[in-house]
Amino acid sequence: LAVWLKPGHIIFMSRHLQWVLVATGVGLTFTFDFLLWSQASILGNTRVVVSPALKGVVKLWGRVLANPMFRAVLPPPVLTVLTEVPLVFALAVLVRVGSSTTTWKCPRWLAALSRLSLGTNLSNIFVLHYLSARAHDFPTEFSQFHLFAYMFVVWVLAVALSLLGHCLTKPYANLVLESTQALWRCIAGH
C-alpha cells in the first residue's frame, strides 16, 4: 500500500478524488464498526424509530454474525482486522494528500501542537479520569456549555502535561539518540 500510494504512482487521481477516498474509507470503517458492535443495542431499541425493512436486515445480520459457520470462516479477531482496512487505506491516502507539494505553510504553533499530539492523547486519558473521578465527582445537568467547557479544560490540561513531559524527557531522549547514533557509527566504521 505504501509503495502504491507514494508520490508519482497515483497520477490519475485528482486531489478532490483523494479526499473523497479518505471520507469513504473513514465512513466505511464507522459503518462496519456500527454493524459489528452496536447494531443490536441501537437499532433494536424500541424507542428508536426505524423502518421495519431495516429492522429485518439488522436481525438477519445479527443471525449471520451469530452463525457458527460464518464464525468458522471469519472468526471475530479476523473480522475486527478486516473492518479496519478501509481506515488504514484512508489514512494512507490522507498522508499522501498531506505530503504533496503545496504553498501553504504550517504555523509554528500548529507544528508545536503536532509535536505534542501523542503526549496530549496519552495525558488526555489521565486528565479525564482525574477530573471525572476526583475533581468533578458530582452529578451536573447536561448542557452544551458544560460539554465544551469540560472538553476545553481537559484539552488545555492535557497539552500542559504533554509539554511538561516533553520538557522533562527531551534531554534523556537526545542522550539515547546520540548514543545509538555513535554506536552505529562505531559499528559501521569497523
Side-chain angles (χ1 to χ4, degrees):
L1 186 61
V3 171
W4 183 66
L5 287 173
K6 75 180 175 185
H9 279 250
I10 307 181
I11 299 171
F12 62 90
M13 275 199 226
S14 68
R15 214 167 153 78
H16 177 72
L17 182 59
Q18 291 174 0
W19 281 109
V20 168
L21 282 175
V22 168
T24 303
V26 171
L28 281 174
T29 301
F30 287 155
T31 303
F32 291 152
D33 282 346
F34 175 77
L35 287 174
L36 285 178
W37 309 120
S38 65
Q39 48 87 18
S41 63
I42 294 175
L43 293 180
N45 191 338
T46 57
R47 293 176 288 181
V48 177
V49 179
V50 179
S51 72
L54 184 59
K55 280 195 178 187
V57 169
V58 168
K59 286 182 182 178
L60 176 67
W61 179 248
R63 285 197 299 261
V64 167
L65 286 178
N67 188 341
M69 289 179 58
F70 179 78
R71 293 174 87 77
V73 174
L74 281 174
V78 173
L79 199 56
T80 301
V81 170
L82 288 177
T83 60
E84 300 301 324
V85 168
L87 182 64
V88 170
F89 180 74
L91 291 176
V93 172
L94 183 64
V95 166
R96 184 189 185 285
V97 169
S99 66
S100 64
T101 59
T102 180
T103 58
W104 184 74
K105 294 293 181 192
C106 182
R108 293 180 85 56
W109 62 267
L110 188 60
L113 285 180
S114 173
R115 184 165 292 252
L116 295 175
S117 63
L118 176 63
T120 302
N121 287 337
L122 291 175
S123 60
N124 189 19
I125 297 166
F126 299 107
V127 170
L128 279 172
H129 284 291
Y130 177 78
L131 284 179
S132 61
R134 302 269 188 231
H136 195 257
D137 191 20
F138 57 90
T140 58
E141 186 175 334
F142 175 79
S143 71
Q144 294 298 331
F145 175 76
H146 284 135
L147 175 70
F148 286 111
Y150 192 70
M151 182 178 63
F152 180 74
V153 167
V154 166
W155 187 80
V156 166
L157 289 175
V159 168
L161 283 175
S162 174
L163 182 62
L164 177 68
H166 175 75
C167 292
L168 290 176
T169 59
K170 180 77 169 153
Y172 301 109
N174 283 342
L175 179 66
V176 169
L177 287 174
E178 292 295 326
S179 300
T180 54
Q181 286 176 356
L183 179 66
W184 282 113
R185 281 193 298 266
C186 183
I187 291 172
H190 291 288

